[in-house]
């Protein structure tokens, strides 16, 4: 069963409201509601067992039970409806925040529960978290050997680091701007910094009062990285251990759980440099590789940001797309984000094609010009608006992704007869033919039938497809 319940960052020492003491021979009973905590694959027999922390001495061999579950489809239908509603609300929040970001400068997205002061702090912590993430992405087993040995163990090879750690920070860097924050939710205990639901596609981080008011600036930055790592779409980490010393102990045992522990990810990134650009002017930084573990000295030093920058640098010409695309994080929102927030030619829907030349004084690219796409009238939008084209249809999902859904129509069916398929297959066919909303008459091929990009688009929207339910049955309608 896939877990979709809560993962939280807690203090190393649990609060009195977070554990219970059971005497030898005694028992404790508690009713658990499983339907929203776990994803069921169907009716049948399920085993429920205890999973202790990696450093726990608890023997759980007998702490398991089997249960027979029926009518699971009802619970899954309710869960899916809840997810759909949450995704829709999250997208509305992101759209509103993006439209206002130029007036605000840096920004984060929150659900309205954060005060202005809390939102300001979250902007600072998120920016510093991005600095840490970018720095640690450049680490290798040799260039950051002390850091790697402290948090993942001396047996960690470069191959292991890249596969199990760096690749996940690469994903984190690409998705951190998707985060939605919620402040002071009701489900916070006295020792909980923050929590997330790992399967939550809206990528909401629930920040508790402990994180929002913690006296050490660095801990709040680490909390954001810790929680980001929990999401299934980023690193799918667990809470195998809490606190610097406990995480360091795992590493010294060369425990495999180090590359799957959220606090370890957070501390590894936190100590990758000594820079907190948004910290108070009087702030001093704990000297790497740790503050509260046996590998560190416990000393503090200056907050040094020399050589650290989170500004999008001008790309080398070879890195700029020859054919403009929408790979920027903020396409199709009515604001041109390149080159201030994105690389040239990666926000085509808002900027059009961009032309640059080299500054003869320093060789850097400058003086960006925009050109209206040649296949669109000057007053036409450079891409379909969300009401006309689902953004999921033009996603960056690999076009070569196989489909396990049958799309073949009977061989004796007329070529213009509706074809039964799935939303996922419609999207893949659209991507494979490099369709775009500006050229709906472009020729395409569905199965073995000649169609147009416009046929695929209208079939997708007509079947009420959405990214949250790509397995949904759909109908491919072909114009005469």
């Amino acid at each position: 069963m896939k877990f979709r319940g809560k993962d939280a960052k807690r203090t190393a020492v649990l609060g009195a409201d977070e554990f219970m003491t059971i005497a030898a021979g005694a028992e404790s009973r508690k009713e658990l509601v499983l339907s929203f905590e776990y994803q069921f694959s169907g009716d049948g027999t399920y085993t429920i067992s205890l999973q202790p922390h990696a450093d726990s001495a608890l023997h759980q061999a007998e702490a398991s039970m089997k249960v027979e579950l029926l009518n699971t489809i009802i619970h899954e239908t309710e869960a899916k409806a809840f997810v759909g509603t949450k995704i829709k609300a999250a997208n509305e929040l992101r759209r509103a925040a993006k439209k206002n970001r130029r007036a605000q400068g840096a920004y984060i997205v929150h659900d309205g529960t954060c005060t202005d002061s809390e939102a300001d702090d979250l902007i600072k912590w998120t920016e510093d978290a991005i600095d840490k993430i970018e720095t640690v992405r450049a680490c290798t087993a040799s260039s950051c050997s002390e850091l790697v040995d402290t948090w993942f163990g001396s047996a960690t090879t470069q191959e292991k680091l890249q596969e199990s750690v760096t690749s996940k920070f690469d994903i984190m860097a690409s998705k951190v701007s998707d985060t939605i924050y919620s402040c002071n939710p009701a489900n916070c205990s006295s020792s909980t910094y923050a929590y997330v639901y790992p399967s939550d596609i809206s990528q909401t981080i629930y920040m508790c009062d402990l994180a929002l008011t913690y006296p050490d600036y660095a801990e709040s930055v680490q909390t954001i990285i810790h929680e980001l790592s929990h999401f299934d779409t980023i690193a799918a980490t667990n809470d195998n251990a809490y606190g610097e010393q406990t995480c360091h102990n795992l590493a010294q045992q060369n425990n495999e759980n180090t590359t799957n522990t959220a606090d370890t990810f957070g501390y590894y990134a936190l100590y990758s440099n000594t820079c907190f650009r948004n910290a108070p002017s009087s702030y001093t930084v704990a000297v790497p590789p740790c503050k509260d573990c046996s590998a560190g000295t416990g000393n503090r030093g200056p907050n040094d940001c020399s050589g650290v920058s989170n500004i999008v640098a001008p790309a080398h010409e070879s890195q700029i797309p020859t054919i403009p695309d929408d790979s920027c994080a903020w396409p199709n929102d009515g604001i041109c984000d390149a080159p201030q927030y994105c690389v040239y030619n990666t926000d085509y829907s808002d900027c059009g094609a961009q032309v640059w030349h080299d500054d003869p004084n320093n060789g850097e690219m400058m003086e960006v010009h925009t050109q209206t796409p040649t296949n669109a009238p000057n007053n036409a939008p450079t891409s379909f608006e969300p009401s006309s084209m689902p953004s999921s249809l033009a996603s960056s999902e690999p076009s070569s992704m196989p489909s396990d859904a049958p799309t073949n129509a009977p061989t004796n069916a007329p070529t213009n007869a509706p074809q039964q398929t799935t939303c996922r297959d419609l999207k893949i066919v659209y991507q494979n033919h490099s369709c775009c909303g500006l050229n709906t008459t472009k020729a395409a091929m569905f199965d073995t039938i000649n169609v147009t990009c416009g046929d695929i688009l209208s079939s997708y929207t007509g079947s009420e497809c959405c990214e949250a339910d790509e397995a949904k049955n759909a109908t491919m309608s072909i114009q005469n």
Side-chain angles (χ1 to χ4, degrees):
M1 293 186 294
K2 181 179 179 180
F3 178 67
R4 57 189 178 203
K6 181 171 69 175
D7 271 346
K9 177 188 172 183
R10 296 184 172 89
T11 56
V13 178
L14 297 179
D17 56 343
E18 292 188 311
F19 70 93
M20 64 175 64
T21 301
I22 302 175
E27 67 176 37
S28 177
R29 294 178 178 270
K30 183 176 181 179
E31 182 176 313
L32 300 176
V33 179
L34 300 177
S35 57
F36 269 74
E37 300 290 317
Y38 296 91
Q39 181 176 341
F40 301 121
S41 57
D43 293 357
T45 302
Y46 291 79
T47 300
I48 301 173
S49 58
L50 180 67
Q51 180 182 345
H53 282 177
D55 65 331
S56 174
L58 179 66
H59 296 286
Q60 78 277 20
E62 297 181 6
S64 65
M65 63 180 296
K66 293 183 181 295
V67 294
E68 188 77 17
L69 298 180
L70 301 174
N71 299 319
T72 55
I73 186 64
I74 297 175
H75 298 283
E76 290 307 303
T77 300
E78 292 175 351
K80 183 178 291 186
F82 173 78
V83 169
T85 300
K86 190 168 186 179
I87 292 173
K88 183 177 180 180
N91 287 337
E92 289 298 327
L93 288 170
R94 291 191 185 103
R95 276 194 288 269
K98 288 172 185 175
K99 287 186 181 298
N100 292 329
R101 72 176 175 277
R102 286 222 169 157
Q104 299 171 347
Y107 78 102
I108 52 95
V109 184
H110 68 86
D111 62 1
T113 60
C114 304
T115 65
D116 289 345
S117 175
E118 290 168 340
D120 288 343
D121 285 339
L122 285 166
I123 289 173
K124 295 174 184 177
W125 300 334
T126 302
E127 286 186 337
D128 280 323
I130 291 171
D131 279 346
K132 301 295 182 179
I133 294 166
E134 291 301 322
T135 301
V136 84
R137 290 175 67 196
C139 273
T140 66
S142 56
S143 67
C144 300
S145 57
E146 182 182 37
L147 204 61
V148 173
D149 291 353
T150 299
W151 299 112
F152 298 108
S154 57
T156 303
T157 63
Q158 174 58 30
E159 181 181 10
K160 177 71 171 177
L161 184 71
Q162 176 62 40
E163 176 186 352
S164 301
V165 181
T166 307
S167 63
K168 296 175 181 178
F169 277 107
D170 289 342
I171 298 171
M172 189 181 295
S174 71
K175 294 186 70 64
V176 62
S177 61
D178 292 338
T179 304
I180 293 175
Y181 292 99
S182 184
C183 295
N184 296 301
N187 292 332
C188 292
S189 67
S190 60
S191 57
T192 301
Y193 290 94
Y195 64 88
V196 301
Y197 295 90
S199 63
D200 179 9
I201 301 175
S202 75
Q203 199 174 302
T204 300
I205 297 179
Y206 299 87
M207 300 290 288
C208 299
D209 183 67
L210 183 60
L212 294 170
T213 61
Y214 202 80
D216 190 336
Y217 183 92
E219 197 67 33
S220 297
V221 176
Q222 194 269 1
T223 297
I224 289 174
I225 300 170
H226 171 122
E227 296 303 332
L228 283 169
S229 76
H230 273 315
F231 288 109
D232 292 343
T233 53
I234 297 178
T237 58
N238 296 316
D239 289 313
N240 298 303
Y242 290 119
E244 293 190 14
Q245 187 61 52
T246 307
C247 290
H248 178 59
N249 290 344
L250 284 183
Q252 301 322 293
Q253 300 162 9
N254 289 313
N255 193 310
E256 286 295 317
N257 283 301
T258 57
T259 57
N260 193 34
T261 299
D263 244 10
T264 296
F265 268 69
Y267 290 126
Y268 174 61
L270 190 73
Y271 291 107
S272 62
N273 61 45
T274 55
C275 172
F276 294 88
R277 72 174 72 249
N278 295 313
S281 58
S282 59
Y283 187 71
T284 57
V285 180
V287 175
C290 65
K291 176 184 69 173
D292 297 323
C293 82
S294 54
T297 62
N299 295 330
R300 302 186 77 90
N303 183 12
D304 180 13
C305 288
S306 57
V308 180
S309 174
N310 66 349
I311 304 301
V312 178
H316 186 272
E317 185 171 347
S318 63
Q319 297 175 296
I320 296 175
T322 304
I323 301 175
D325 60 33
D326 276 336
S327 56
C328 171
W330 303 289
N332 197 24
D333 65 352
I335 302 173
C336 178
D337 294 294
Q340 184 174 4
Y341 297 98
C342 307
V343 172
Y344 299 138
N345 272 346
T346 61
D347 191 12
Y348 177 69
S349 61
D350 297 315
C351 304
Q354 294 178 301
V355 182
W356 61 92
H357 65 77
D358 292 339
D359 183 346
N361 296 319
N362 58 22
E364 292 185 355
M365 286 171 288
M366 59 170 289
E367 196 170 335
V368 178
H369 306 275
T370 60
Q371 294 180 333
T372 303
T374 57
N375 61 341
N378 290 335
N379 61 351
T382 55
S383 72
F384 261 75
E385 292 299 320
S387 60
S388 302
M389 173 185 174
S391 59
S392 59
L393 197 55
S395 75
S396 58
E397 181 176 339
S399 60
S400 59
M401 181 180 289
S403 171
D404 54 3
T407 61
N408 293 335
T411 57
N412 60 349
T415 56
N416 62 344
Q419 308 294 309
Q420 298 306 306
T421 182
T422 66
C423 293
R424 182 187 184 196
D425 281 352
L426 286 174
K427 184 170 81 169
I428 291 172
V429 172
Y430 193 90
Q431 293 166 345
N432 282 347
H433 289 85
S434 300
C435 291
C436 73
L438 292 171
N439 190 359
T440 57
T441 61
K442 181 179 179 181
M445 182 74 70
F446 180 81
D447 198 4
T448 58
I449 303 170
N450 293 322
V451 297
T452 66
C453 291
D455 289 335
I456 303 170
L457 177 59
S458 61
S459 298
Y460 189 93
T461 56
S463 298
E464 298 184 351
C465 292
C466 66
E467 192 168 7
D469 192 5
E470 293 185 348
K472 179 181 176 181
N473 291 330
T475 301
M476 176 66 204
S477 300
I478 303 158
Q479 301 299 316
N480 292 323

